[in-house]
Short mmCIF file of all heavy atoms in Angstrom, two decimals:
data_model
loop_
_atom_site.label_atom_id
_atom_site.label_comp_id
_atom_site.label_asym_id
_atom_site.label_seq_id
_atom_site.Cartn_x
_atom_site.Cartn_y
_atom_site.Cartn_z
N MET A 1 97.31 96.60 86.73
CA MET A 1 97.21 97.41 87.94
C MET A 1 95.77 97.87 88.13
O MET A 1 94.95 97.75 87.25
CB MET A 1 98.16 98.61 87.84
CG MET A 1 99.62 98.19 87.94
SD MET A 1 100.76 99.56 88.17
CE MET A 1 100.97 100.07 86.46
N SER A 2 95.51 98.42 89.27
CA SER A 2 94.14 98.80 89.59
C SER A 2 94.14 100.20 90.21
O SER A 2 95.16 100.86 90.29
CB SER A 2 93.55 97.79 90.56
OG SER A 2 94.34 97.69 91.72
N THR A 3 92.96 100.62 90.62
CA THR A 3 92.84 101.93 91.23
C THR A 3 93.68 102.01 92.50
O THR A 3 93.65 101.13 93.34
CB THR A 3 91.37 102.22 91.57
OG1 THR A 3 90.61 102.16 90.39
CG2 THR A 3 91.22 103.60 92.20
N GLN A 4 94.46 103.07 92.59
CA GLN A 4 95.33 103.27 93.73
C GLN A 4 94.77 104.39 94.60
O GLN A 4 94.31 105.40 94.09
CB GLN A 4 96.73 103.67 93.26
CG GLN A 4 97.40 102.63 92.40
CD GLN A 4 97.81 101.42 93.19
OE1 GLN A 4 98.26 101.52 94.32
NE2 GLN A 4 97.64 100.25 92.60
N VAL A 5 94.83 104.20 95.88
CA VAL A 5 94.42 105.25 96.81
C VAL A 5 95.63 105.63 97.64
O VAL A 5 96.22 104.80 98.32
CB VAL A 5 93.28 104.79 97.73
CG1 VAL A 5 92.84 105.93 98.65
CG2 VAL A 5 92.11 104.27 96.91
N ARG A 6 96.02 106.88 97.53
CA ARG A 6 97.18 107.37 98.28
C ARG A 6 96.84 108.75 98.82
O ARG A 6 96.06 109.47 98.22
CB ARG A 6 98.40 107.49 97.36
CG ARG A 6 98.98 106.17 96.91
CD ARG A 6 99.58 105.41 98.07
NE ARG A 6 100.31 104.23 97.63
CZ ARG A 6 99.74 103.09 97.28
NH1 ARG A 6 98.44 102.98 97.30
NH2 ARG A 6 100.47 102.07 96.91
N SER A 7 97.49 109.11 99.90
CA SER A 7 97.36 110.48 100.35
C SER A 7 98.51 111.29 99.77
O SER A 7 99.65 110.84 99.73
CB SER A 7 97.34 110.56 101.88
OG SER A 7 98.50 109.99 102.42
N CYS A 8 98.18 112.46 99.32
CA CYS A 8 99.17 113.33 98.71
C CYS A 8 100.15 113.83 99.78
O CYS A 8 99.74 114.29 100.84
CB CYS A 8 98.45 114.52 98.07
SG CYS A 8 99.57 115.75 97.39
N PRO A 9 101.44 113.74 99.50
CA PRO A 9 102.43 114.23 100.47
C PRO A 9 102.46 115.75 100.59
O PRO A 9 103.04 116.29 101.52
CB PRO A 9 103.76 113.69 99.93
CG PRO A 9 103.51 113.46 98.49
CD PRO A 9 102.06 113.10 98.35
N LYS A 10 101.84 116.44 99.66
CA LYS A 10 101.85 117.91 99.69
C LYS A 10 100.62 118.47 100.39
O LYS A 10 100.73 119.33 101.25
CB LYS A 10 101.89 118.46 98.26
CG LYS A 10 103.07 118.00 97.47
CD LYS A 10 104.31 118.83 97.75
CE LYS A 10 105.42 118.34 96.83
NZ LYS A 10 106.62 119.15 96.90
N CYS A 11 99.46 118.00 99.99
CA CYS A 11 98.23 118.58 100.53
C CYS A 11 97.49 117.60 101.43
O CYS A 11 96.49 117.96 102.04
CB CYS A 11 97.33 119.07 99.41
SG CYS A 11 96.60 117.77 98.40
N PHE A 12 97.98 116.39 101.51
CA PHE A 12 97.48 115.38 102.45
C PHE A 12 96.05 114.93 102.18
O PHE A 12 95.41 114.32 103.03
CB PHE A 12 97.62 115.86 103.91
CG PHE A 12 99.04 116.22 104.26
CD1 PHE A 12 99.41 117.55 104.35
CD2 PHE A 12 100.00 115.23 104.44
CE1 PHE A 12 100.73 117.89 104.65
CE2 PHE A 12 101.31 115.57 104.74
CZ PHE A 12 101.66 116.89 104.84
N ARG A 13 95.54 115.23 101.03
CA ARG A 13 94.22 114.74 100.68
C ARG A 13 94.36 113.42 99.95
O ARG A 13 95.38 113.15 99.33
CB ARG A 13 93.49 115.77 99.81
CG ARG A 13 93.26 117.06 100.58
CD ARG A 13 92.66 118.12 99.71
NE ARG A 13 91.28 117.79 99.33
CZ ARG A 13 90.50 118.61 98.62
NH1 ARG A 13 90.96 119.77 98.21
NH2 ARG A 13 89.28 118.26 98.31
N LEU A 14 93.31 112.64 100.00
CA LEU A 14 93.35 111.34 99.33
C LEU A 14 93.23 111.50 97.83
O LEU A 14 92.41 112.24 97.34
CB LEU A 14 92.23 110.44 99.83
CG LEU A 14 92.45 109.78 101.19
CD1 LEU A 14 91.24 108.90 101.51
CD2 LEU A 14 93.70 108.94 101.21
N MET A 15 94.08 110.76 97.14
CA MET A 15 94.00 110.70 95.69
C MET A 15 93.49 109.32 95.29
O MET A 15 94.05 108.31 95.69
CB MET A 15 95.38 110.90 95.07
CG MET A 15 96.07 112.16 95.51
SD MET A 15 97.69 112.30 94.72
CE MET A 15 98.58 111.02 95.57
N TRP A 16 92.44 109.31 94.56
CA TRP A 16 91.95 108.05 93.98
C TRP A 16 92.36 108.05 92.53
O TRP A 16 91.88 108.85 91.74
CB TRP A 16 90.42 107.97 94.10
CG TRP A 16 89.95 107.82 95.51
CD1 TRP A 16 89.95 108.79 96.48
CD2 TRP A 16 89.43 106.64 96.13
NE1 TRP A 16 89.45 108.27 97.65
CE2 TRP A 16 89.12 106.97 97.47
CE3 TRP A 16 89.20 105.34 95.67
CZ2 TRP A 16 88.59 106.02 98.36
CZ3 TRP A 16 88.66 104.40 96.54
CH2 TRP A 16 88.37 104.75 97.88
N LEU A 17 93.28 107.18 92.22
CA LEU A 17 93.90 107.21 90.90
C LEU A 17 93.53 105.97 90.11
O LEU A 17 93.87 104.85 90.48
CB LEU A 17 95.41 107.30 91.06
CG LEU A 17 95.89 108.52 91.85
CD1 LEU A 17 97.35 108.35 92.24
CD2 LEU A 17 95.70 109.80 91.06
N LYS A 18 92.82 106.21 89.03
CA LYS A 18 92.52 105.11 88.12
C LYS A 18 93.76 104.82 87.26
O LYS A 18 94.71 105.61 87.23
CB LYS A 18 91.33 105.47 87.23
CG LYS A 18 90.06 105.71 88.01
CD LYS A 18 88.88 105.71 87.08
CE LYS A 18 87.58 105.92 87.85
NZ LYS A 18 87.25 107.33 88.04
N THR A 19 93.69 103.72 86.57
CA THR A 19 94.88 103.28 85.83
C THR A 19 95.32 104.29 84.78
O THR A 19 96.50 104.34 84.44
CB THR A 19 94.63 101.93 85.15
OG1 THR A 19 93.40 102.00 84.43
CG2 THR A 19 94.56 100.82 86.17
N ASP A 20 94.40 105.11 84.30
CA ASP A 20 94.80 106.08 83.28
C ASP A 20 95.22 107.41 83.91
O ASP A 20 95.50 108.37 83.21
CB ASP A 20 93.69 106.28 82.26
CG ASP A 20 92.42 106.83 82.89
OD1 ASP A 20 92.33 106.86 84.13
OD2 ASP A 20 91.52 107.22 82.14
N GLN A 21 95.29 107.44 85.24
CA GLN A 21 95.67 108.68 85.91
C GLN A 21 97.05 108.60 86.55
O GLN A 21 97.49 109.54 87.18
CB GLN A 21 94.63 109.03 86.98
CG GLN A 21 93.29 109.40 86.36
CD GLN A 21 92.24 109.66 87.43
OE1 GLN A 21 91.95 108.81 88.24
NE2 GLN A 21 91.66 110.84 87.41
N TYR A 22 97.69 107.46 86.39
CA TYR A 22 99.07 107.40 86.84
C TYR A 22 99.88 106.62 85.84
O TYR A 22 99.33 105.88 85.02
CB TYR A 22 99.18 106.80 88.24
CG TYR A 22 98.64 105.40 88.41
CD1 TYR A 22 99.46 104.30 88.16
CD2 TYR A 22 97.34 105.18 88.83
CE1 TYR A 22 98.98 103.01 88.33
CE2 TYR A 22 96.84 103.91 89.01
CZ TYR A 22 97.66 102.82 88.76
OH TYR A 22 97.17 101.56 88.92
N GLU A 23 101.18 106.80 85.89
CA GLU A 23 102.01 106.10 84.93
C GLU A 23 103.13 105.37 85.64
O GLU A 23 103.73 105.90 86.58
CB GLU A 23 102.57 107.08 83.90
CG GLU A 23 103.75 107.89 84.37
CD GLU A 23 104.26 108.80 83.26
OE1 GLU A 23 104.99 108.31 82.39
OE2 GLU A 23 103.94 110.00 83.28
N PRO A 24 103.40 104.16 85.25
CA PRO A 24 104.48 103.41 85.89
C PRO A 24 105.84 103.95 85.49
O PRO A 24 106.10 104.22 84.32
CB PRO A 24 104.26 101.98 85.37
CG PRO A 24 103.52 102.13 84.10
CD PRO A 24 102.70 103.38 84.23
N LEU A 25 106.68 104.11 86.49
CA LEU A 25 108.07 104.49 86.21
C LEU A 25 108.95 103.26 86.10
O LEU A 25 109.85 103.19 85.28
CB LEU A 25 108.60 105.39 87.33
CG LEU A 25 107.95 106.77 87.44
CD1 LEU A 25 108.58 107.53 88.60
CD2 LEU A 25 108.12 107.56 86.16
N ASP A 26 108.69 102.32 86.98
CA ASP A 26 109.35 101.04 86.87
C ASP A 26 108.42 100.02 87.50
O ASP A 26 107.24 100.31 87.73
CB ASP A 26 110.75 101.05 87.50
CG ASP A 26 110.71 101.40 88.98
OD1 ASP A 26 109.74 101.01 89.68
OD2 ASP A 26 111.65 102.04 89.45
N GLU A 27 108.93 98.88 87.78
CA GLU A 27 108.08 97.79 88.24
C GLU A 27 107.38 98.10 89.55
O GLU A 27 106.30 97.60 89.83
CB GLU A 27 108.95 96.54 88.38
CG GLU A 27 108.16 95.28 88.63
CD GLU A 27 109.07 94.07 88.67
OE1 GLU A 27 110.29 94.22 88.47
OE2 GLU A 27 108.57 92.96 88.92
N TRP A 28 108.01 98.96 90.37
CA TRP A 28 107.50 99.19 91.72
C TRP A 28 107.04 100.61 91.97
O TRP A 28 106.53 100.92 93.03
CB TRP A 28 108.60 98.85 92.74
CG TRP A 28 109.19 97.50 92.54
CD1 TRP A 28 110.46 97.21 92.10
CD2 TRP A 28 108.55 96.23 92.73
NE1 TRP A 28 110.63 95.86 92.03
CE2 TRP A 28 109.48 95.22 92.40
CE3 TRP A 28 107.26 95.86 93.15
CZ2 TRP A 28 109.18 93.87 92.48
CZ3 TRP A 28 106.96 94.52 93.22
CH2 TRP A 28 107.90 93.54 92.89
N THR A 29 107.30 101.48 91.05
CA THR A 29 107.08 102.90 91.31
C THR A 29 106.16 103.48 90.24
O THR A 29 106.30 103.18 89.07
CB THR A 29 108.42 103.66 91.28
OG1 THR A 29 109.37 102.96 92.07
CG2 THR A 29 108.26 105.07 91.84
N VAL A 30 105.23 104.30 90.67
CA VAL A 30 104.39 105.00 89.70
C VAL A 30 104.42 106.50 90.00
O VAL A 30 104.74 106.93 91.10
CB VAL A 30 102.93 104.50 89.72
CG1 VAL A 30 102.86 103.04 89.33
CG2 VAL A 30 102.28 104.76 91.06
N ARG A 31 104.07 107.24 89.01
CA ARG A 31 104.02 108.69 89.13
C ARG A 31 102.61 109.15 88.81
O ARG A 31 101.99 108.67 87.86
CB ARG A 31 105.02 109.31 88.16
CG ARG A 31 105.07 110.84 88.26
CD ARG A 31 106.20 111.39 87.43
NE ARG A 31 106.00 111.05 86.00
CZ ARG A 31 106.90 111.23 85.06
NH1 ARG A 31 108.09 111.70 85.37
NH2 ARG A 31 106.65 110.92 83.81
N ALA A 32 102.13 110.09 89.58
CA ALA A 32 100.79 110.59 89.35
C ALA A 32 100.75 112.07 89.65
O ALA A 32 101.63 112.61 90.31
CB ALA A 32 99.80 109.86 90.25
N LYS A 33 99.71 112.70 89.16
CA LYS A 33 99.52 114.11 89.45
C LYS A 33 98.35 114.24 90.41
O LYS A 33 97.27 113.71 90.15
CB LYS A 33 99.24 114.88 88.15
CG LYS A 33 99.28 116.37 88.34
CD LYS A 33 99.16 117.07 86.99
CE LYS A 33 99.32 118.57 87.15
NZ LYS A 33 99.16 119.28 85.88
N CYS A 34 98.59 114.91 91.51
CA CYS A 34 97.54 115.08 92.49
C CYS A 34 96.41 115.92 91.89
O CYS A 34 96.65 117.00 91.38
CB CYS A 34 98.11 115.78 93.73
SG CYS A 34 96.85 116.16 94.95
N PRO A 35 95.19 115.41 91.96
CA PRO A 35 94.06 116.15 91.39
C PRO A 35 93.67 117.36 92.23
O PRO A 35 92.90 118.20 91.79
CB PRO A 35 92.93 115.12 91.36
CG PRO A 35 93.29 114.14 92.41
CD PRO A 35 94.79 114.11 92.48
N HIS A 36 94.20 117.47 93.43
CA HIS A 36 93.82 118.56 94.32
C HIS A 36 94.77 119.75 94.21
O HIS A 36 94.36 120.87 94.03
CB HIS A 36 93.77 118.07 95.77
CG HIS A 36 92.88 116.87 95.94
ND1 HIS A 36 91.53 116.91 95.72
CD2 HIS A 36 93.16 115.59 96.29
CE1 HIS A 36 91.02 115.70 95.94
NE2 HIS A 36 91.99 114.89 96.28
N CYS A 37 96.08 119.47 94.35
CA CYS A 37 97.05 120.56 94.36
C CYS A 37 97.92 120.56 93.11
O CYS A 37 98.70 121.48 92.91
CB CYS A 37 97.90 120.50 95.62
SG CYS A 37 99.03 119.09 95.69
N GLY A 38 97.81 119.53 92.30
CA GLY A 38 98.54 119.51 91.04
C GLY A 38 99.98 119.07 91.16
O GLY A 38 100.72 119.11 90.19
N SER A 39 100.39 118.65 92.35
CA SER A 39 101.76 118.19 92.51
C SER A 39 101.98 116.86 91.82
O SER A 39 101.09 116.01 91.80
CB SER A 39 102.08 118.03 93.99
OG SER A 39 102.08 119.26 94.64
N THR A 40 103.15 116.70 91.28
CA THR A 40 103.53 115.40 90.76
C THR A 40 104.15 114.59 91.89
O THR A 40 105.11 115.01 92.51
CB THR A 40 104.53 115.55 89.61
OG1 THR A 40 103.92 116.32 88.59
CG2 THR A 40 104.91 114.18 89.05
N VAL A 41 103.55 113.47 92.17
CA VAL A 41 104.01 112.66 93.29
C VAL A 41 104.36 111.27 92.79
O VAL A 41 103.86 110.80 91.77
CB VAL A 41 102.93 112.57 94.39
CG1 VAL A 41 102.64 113.95 94.97
CG2 VAL A 41 101.65 111.93 93.88
N ARG A 42 105.25 110.64 93.51
CA ARG A 42 105.61 109.26 93.21
C ARG A 42 105.27 108.40 94.40
O ARG A 42 105.37 108.83 95.53
CB ARG A 42 107.11 109.14 92.96
CG ARG A 42 107.58 109.85 91.72
CD ARG A 42 109.05 109.60 91.55
NE ARG A 42 109.56 110.39 90.42
CZ ARG A 42 110.79 110.25 89.94
NH1 ARG A 42 111.62 109.38 90.48
NH2 ARG A 42 111.18 110.97 88.92
N PHE A 43 104.87 107.21 94.14
CA PHE A 43 104.68 106.28 95.24
C PHE A 43 104.99 104.87 94.80
O PHE A 43 104.98 104.55 93.62
CB PHE A 43 103.28 106.38 95.84
CG PHE A 43 102.15 106.21 94.86
CD1 PHE A 43 101.67 104.95 94.55
CD2 PHE A 43 101.56 107.32 94.28
CE1 PHE A 43 100.63 104.80 93.65
CE2 PHE A 43 100.51 107.18 93.38
CZ PHE A 43 100.04 105.91 93.07
N LYS A 44 105.26 104.06 95.78
CA LYS A 44 105.58 102.65 95.53
C LYS A 44 104.29 101.85 95.44
O LYS A 44 103.36 102.05 96.22
CB LYS A 44 106.41 102.10 96.69
CG LYS A 44 107.76 102.75 96.81
CD LYS A 44 108.75 102.06 95.92
CE LYS A 44 110.16 102.61 96.19
NZ LYS A 44 111.13 102.06 95.26
N LEU A 45 104.27 100.96 94.52
CA LEU A 45 103.18 100.01 94.46
C LEU A 45 103.44 98.87 95.43
O LEU A 45 104.56 98.42 95.58
CB LEU A 45 103.06 99.42 93.06
CG LEU A 45 102.55 100.33 91.97
CD1 LEU A 45 102.62 99.58 90.65
CD2 LEU A 45 101.14 100.77 92.25
N VAL A 46 102.37 98.43 96.07
CA VAL A 46 102.48 97.21 96.86
C VAL A 46 101.78 96.12 96.07
O VAL A 46 100.59 96.20 95.80
CB VAL A 46 101.83 97.38 98.24
CG1 VAL A 46 101.92 96.07 99.02
CG2 VAL A 46 102.52 98.49 99.01
N THR A 47 102.53 95.17 95.67
CA THR A 47 101.99 94.12 94.83
C THR A 47 101.99 92.80 95.56
O THR A 47 102.32 92.73 96.74
CB THR A 47 102.80 94.01 93.52
OG1 THR A 47 104.15 93.79 93.85
CG2 THR A 47 102.67 95.28 92.70
N GLU A 48 101.65 91.78 94.86
CA GLU A 48 101.68 90.44 95.44
C GLU A 48 103.07 90.15 96.01
O GLU A 48 104.07 90.58 95.46
CB GLU A 48 101.39 89.40 94.36
CG GLU A 48 100.15 89.67 93.55
CD GLU A 48 98.89 89.37 94.32
OE1 GLU A 48 98.86 88.34 95.02
OE2 GLU A 48 97.94 90.17 94.24
N GLY A 49 103.10 89.47 97.09
CA GLY A 49 104.40 89.10 97.63
C GLY A 49 104.52 89.40 99.10
O GLY A 49 103.54 89.60 99.80
N ALA A 50 105.74 89.48 99.55
CA ALA A 50 106.03 89.56 100.97
C ALA A 50 105.42 90.78 101.62
O ALA A 50 105.01 90.73 102.78
CB ALA A 50 107.53 89.55 101.19
N ASN A 51 105.33 91.88 100.89
CA ASN A 51 104.85 93.11 101.49
C ASN A 51 103.36 93.34 101.29
O ASN A 51 102.83 94.34 101.76
CB ASN A 51 105.61 94.29 100.91
CG ASN A 51 107.08 94.24 101.29
OD1 ASN A 51 107.42 93.81 102.38
ND2 ASN A 51 107.94 94.65 100.39
N ALA A 52 102.70 92.43 100.61
CA ALA A 52 101.32 92.68 100.23
C ALA A 52 100.37 92.68 101.41
O ALA A 52 99.30 93.28 101.35
CB ALA A 52 100.86 91.64 99.20
N THR A 53 100.74 92.04 102.47
CA THR A 53 99.83 91.95 103.61
C THR A 53 100.10 93.04 104.64
O THR A 53 99.52 93.03 105.70
CB THR A 53 99.93 90.57 104.27
OG1 THR A 53 101.29 90.31 104.59
CG2 THR A 53 99.42 89.49 103.35
N GLY A 54 101.00 93.95 104.34
CA GLY A 54 101.24 95.05 105.24
C GLY A 54 102.32 94.71 106.25
O GLY A 54 103.00 93.70 106.13
N PRO A 55 102.46 95.60 107.23
CA PRO A 55 103.52 95.39 108.23
C PRO A 55 103.34 94.07 108.97
O PRO A 55 102.22 93.63 109.22
CB PRO A 55 103.33 96.56 109.19
CG PRO A 55 102.54 97.56 108.43
CD PRO A 55 101.70 96.78 107.47
N LYS A 56 104.43 93.50 109.32
CA LYS A 56 104.37 92.25 110.08
C LYS A 56 103.82 92.52 111.47
O LYS A 56 104.14 93.50 112.12
CB LYS A 56 105.77 91.65 110.20
CG LYS A 56 106.27 91.05 108.90
CD LYS A 56 107.42 90.09 109.19
CE LYS A 56 107.84 89.37 107.91
NZ LYS A 56 108.92 90.06 107.22
N MET A 57 102.98 91.62 111.90
CA MET A 57 102.40 91.75 113.23
C MET A 57 103.23 90.94 114.22
O MET A 57 103.98 90.05 113.85
CB MET A 57 100.96 91.23 113.25
CG MET A 57 100.07 91.91 112.23
SD MET A 57 99.89 93.67 112.52
CE MET A 57 98.72 93.63 113.88
N GLY A 58 103.08 91.29 115.49
CA GLY A 58 103.78 90.52 116.51
C GLY A 58 105.03 91.23 116.98
O GLY A 58 105.36 92.30 116.50
N HIS A 59 105.70 90.61 117.87
CA HIS A 59 106.89 91.15 118.52
C HIS A 59 106.54 92.41 119.30
O HIS A 59 106.92 93.49 118.97
CB HIS A 59 108.02 91.45 117.51
CG HIS A 59 108.47 90.22 116.81
ND1 HIS A 59 109.23 89.25 117.43
CD2 HIS A 59 108.28 89.80 115.57
CE1 HIS A 59 109.47 88.30 116.55
NE2 HIS A 59 108.91 88.59 115.42
ZN1 ZN B 101 97.97 117.22 96.58
#
């Protein structure tokens, strides 16, 4: 895995999380502690595959 950038759902600031700053819960989910407000947040990893390119365009 690599550095993840997510916005915190509590304080809405960006979290830049290096690999040693978050822990995998399962194959798709990681848990991290927000460096700004200290909240424990979970987010989904987007990895290689169907969802890696983001939302489908068109229609
Ligand atoms: Zn936060």
Side-chain angles (χ1 to χ4, degrees):
M1 289 192 276
S2 57
T3 301
Q4 299 289 322
V5 183
R6 290 293 188 281
S7 58
C8 175
K10 301 278 184 174
C11 69
F12 303 104
R13 296 175 69 176
L14 282 181
M15 305 180 289
W16 291 73
L17 302 166
K18 299 194 178 88
T19 50
D20 62 349
Q21 293 176 302
Y22 59 88
E23 79 178 280
L25 293 180
D26 60 35
E27 190 176 358
W28 308 110
T29 313
V30 298
R31 182 172 62 190
K33 190 173 185 182
C34 175
H36 306 296
C37 68
S39 294
T40 301
V41 297
R42 293 182 186 188
F43 55 86
K44 295 275 187 185
L45 289 176
V46 178
T47 56
E48 309 285 319
N51 294 325
T53 54
K56 287 198 174 93
M57 304 298 283
H59 298 287

